């Protein structure tokens, strides 16, 4: 799953992962993160998710990173916001009040370029990646934001019956990747109507990761 895989998805508008509305888990449970107004929320692999606008509307300051420039352009066009565009190291930065999106590869991102992080919102980021990229991703996330709480949304299904993305990530894997640094709690889970492709039953789960 190299860069070209995702760039092609965006070029060809194959973005079934994009949700037309704000994520329901996010809306219902974000307050459990207990953040102050103005808290800076990191959205890794952010796509053009509406969730970022919702977080901004809750008084959060959002910083996202996304490989596809196309996605970031669409985000601003569709939201009617006009960003200021600048270069920030190897990243192109699109910014409006309370929201900055960095175009580039998360594996090139360093803490200085990212800036302060008070919380992370991962929806369809960890599960977008195959093994062993998930291991690299989780390590990168811990290095960039391992001190901050994380709101994580995953999907699980029988991986032997279908291929990702999205990839199936269950509790055992979450604990093995993040358990040393975080207390991990399930917030809410729901069965996905119709299941996942040929795999049949599938579950979407939201998790609260609190630094130890
Ligand atoms: C499954 S989508 C999820 C997007 C978004 N989180 C959402 O909920 O709609 C994964 C996104 O990650 C981006 N992506 C994949 N690899 C990346 C990388 N190494 N660095 C930054 N973004 C990446 C893809 O272009 C794609 O938009």
């Amino acid at each position: 799953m190299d860069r070209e895989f995702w760039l092609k998805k965006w070029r060809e508008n194959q973005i079934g992962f994009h949700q037309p509305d704000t994520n329901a888990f996010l809306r219902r449970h974000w307050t459990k993160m207990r953040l102050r107004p103005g808290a800076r929320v990191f959205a890794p692999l952010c796509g053009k998710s509406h969730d970022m606008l919702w977080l901004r509307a809750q008084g959060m300051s959002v910083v996202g990173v996304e490989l596809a420039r196309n996605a970031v352009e669409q985000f601003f066009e569709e939201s009617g916001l006009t960003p200021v565009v600048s270069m920030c190291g190897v990243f192109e930065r699109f910014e409006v009040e309370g929201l900055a999106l960095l175009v580039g590869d998360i594996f090139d991102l360093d803490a200085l370029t990212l800036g302060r992080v008070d919380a992370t919102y991962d929806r369809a980021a960890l599960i977008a990646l195959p093994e062993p990229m998930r291991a690299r991703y989780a390590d990168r996330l811990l290095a960039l934001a391992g001190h901050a709480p994380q709101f994580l949304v995953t999907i699980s299904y029988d991986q032997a019956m279908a291929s990702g993305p999205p990839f199936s990530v269950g509790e055992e894997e979450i604990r093995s990747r993040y358990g040393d640094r975080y207390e991990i709690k399930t917030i809410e889970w729901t069965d996905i109507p119709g299941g996942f492709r040929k795999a049949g039953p599938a579950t979407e789960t939201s998790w609260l990761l609190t630094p130890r």
Side-chain angles (χ1 to χ4, degrees):
M1 206 128 300
D2 57 9
R3 297 179 188 210
E4 183 49 30
F5 172 89
W6 291 105
L7 297 176
K8 186 166 182 279
K9 288 264 177 224
W10 281 102
R11 268 200 313 273
E12 297 179 355
N13 202 32
Q14 291 172 3
I15 53 167
F17 53 78
H18 177 68
Q19 297 182 308
D21 298 312
T22 305
N23 183 271
F25 292 146
L26 177 67
R27 270 193 281 110
R28 281 203 286 275
H29 301 296
W30 180 250
T31 53
K32 292 186 169 59
M33 296 285 277
R34 298 177 174 278
L35 297 165
R36 295 197 191 124
R40 200 150 182 273
V41 180
F42 179 35
L45 283 58
C46 62
K48 60 169 183 174
S49 170
H50 297 293
D51 298 347
M52 297 188 284
L53 290 172
W54 186 87
L55 285 165
R56 181 175 179 253
Q58 310 312 302
M60 305 291 118
S61 169
V62 178
V63 57
V65 64
E66 167 57 49
L67 202 54
R69 189 179 202 275
N70 201 356
V72 171
E73 285 172 346
Q74 286 181 31
F75 174 84
F76 284 104
E77 272 164 32
E78 291 169 13
S79 58
L81 297 167
T82 307
V84 173
V85 184
S86 61
M87 287 308 292
C88 188
V90 294
F91 289 83
E92 205 174 0
R93 182 185 173 98
F94 290 60
E95 186 162 18
V96 292
E97 176 80 39
L99 199 150
L101 301 189
L102 299 166
V103 176
D105 191 327
I106 192 168
F107 297 112
D108 294 333
L109 188 59
D110 58 52
L112 198 66
T113 306
L114 177 60
R116 195 186 90 224
V117 173
D118 300 316
T120 296
Y121 174 61
D122 173 334
R123 186 260 160 191
L126 178 66
I127 62 168
L129 304 173
E131 269 287 357
M133 265 182 122
R134 284 203 295 281
R136 278 183 69 213
Y137 166 83
D139 286 349
R140 193 87 286 274
L141 208 57
L142 286 172
L144 293 167
H147 58 282
Q150 182 180 161
F151 192 108
L152 171 65
V153 181
T154 58
I155 178 175
S156 58
Y157 59 88
D158 184 353
Q159 191 72 86
M161 299 298 290
S163 59
F167 294 91
S168 179
V169 174
E171 177 160 2
E172 196 179 329
E173 178 171 339
I174 294 169
R175 292 198 181 280
S176 78
R177 303 217 179 284
Y178 294 129
D180 284 352
R181 296 278 284 277
Y182 287 105
E183 295 283 351
I184 297 166
K185 283 194 186 137
T186 308
I187 305 174
E188 186 186 349
W189 59 270
T190 182
D191 288 332
I192 296 173
F196 180 73
R197 296 179 194 155
K198 290 180 186 157
T203 304
E204 192 179 23
T205 308
S206 53
W207 307 84
L208 183 62
L209 277 59
T210 311
R212 289 183 185 280

